[in-house]
Amino acid sequence: NVVYRDGTMRYLYEFDFKFNLDLRSGYVRCHSRGDLVNTPDGDIALTESYSEYLLQRIIIWLATPKGEVPNDPDVGCVLHDFLFYKQTPQNLYRLAKELEYDAKVQFPDLGILYIDVKGLSISSIQIVIYTQNELISLILEESEYQELLNEVINMLSIGEEP
């Protein structure tokens, strides 16, 4: 635990290096896209709130295809597998159950109760994550998700600058 001068306390698990979440397509370079945030004095910034920490973890999880991390096939999210499926009630239910299973494995500290997925349009879905303490609602557009996915794949790829 960390106790501040004003007496407030934060648990260490609430801290993470702050990622700039700039996941636009293009080549990822140091101190630009897909990089850690620096403080004004040059230190690596930490997330500033539990909500920011949680949202950052979930976005990175959703953007990482399952099996994309070398030597750990269970890391990542199944969302990519469903990207081109029709939004039938059966497929949305199956996606919700697979997301729920993966999320419980990836985030045991969140106390996830269940996940609900709703089709909003032909190219967008809403994912609602119910935890013991939080309700997290995300709306994903197919085009934005595809761009996010491509950027994460580029960041995980090993190779030279094009």
Side-chain angles (χ1 to χ4, degrees):
N1 297 339
V2 176
V3 179
Y4 293 99
R5 290 181 196 166
D6 66 0
T8 60
M9 183 171 58
R10 285 181 66 186
Y11 297 101
L12 286 177
Y13 70 82
E14 293 179 19
F15 291 103
D16 196 2
F17 293 126
K18 188 173 185 177
F19 184 63
N20 66 10
L21 295 177
D22 183 357
L23 297 171
R24 293 175 290 154
S25 58
Y27 190 75
V28 178
R29 299 177 195 280
C30 187
H31 303 299
S32 60
R33 295 186 184 157
D35 201 0
L36 297 173
V37 174
N38 290 332
T39 63
D41 59 0
D43 291 335
I44 296 175
L46 298 174
T47 52
E48 296 174 14
S49 68
Y50 181 73
S51 297
E52 182 182 36
Y53 160 78
L54 186 57
L55 182 61
Q56 178 174 291
R57 285 179 66 196
I58 290 171
I59 288 173
I60 292 171
W61 169 65
L62 287 171
T64 306
K66 193 168 187 133
E68 197 66 31
V69 176
N71 300 321
D72 201 343
D74 294 328
V75 171
C77 179
V78 299
L79 189 57
H80 178 70
D81 296 340
F82 286 83
L83 191 58
F84 299 106
Y85 283 29
K86 290 183 180 180
Q87 288 188 25
T88 64
Q90 296 83 7
N91 286 340
L92 292 173
Y93 177 80
R94 197 170 128 225
L95 173 59
K97 290 301 161 198
E98 290 194 31
L99 284 173
E100 183 179 313
Y101 174 80
D102 282 351
K104 286 179 178 179
V105 170
Q106 298 293 321
F107 308 110
D109 55 310
L110 294 185
I112 293 174
L113 302 173
Y114 65 97
I115 293 179
D116 188 26
V117 178
K118 298 174 184 162
L120 300 177
S121 72
I122 195 164
S123 62
S124 65
I125 61 171
Q126 179 182 27
I127 299 172
V128 182
I129 303 171
Y130 297 88
T131 74
Q132 292 175 351
N133 301 316
E134 307 273 341
L135 177 107
I136 304 151
S137 180
L138 304 162
I139 295 176
L140 297 176
E141 294 285 337
E142 181 181 352
S143 60
E144 292 172 354
Y145 177 74
Q146 189 64 44
E147 188 174 318
L148 180 69
L149 179 69
N150 290 338
E151 190 63 27
V152 169
I153 289 171
N154 286 339
M155 287 190 305
L156 293 173
S157 297
I158 299 172
E160 295 182 18
E161 182 176 342

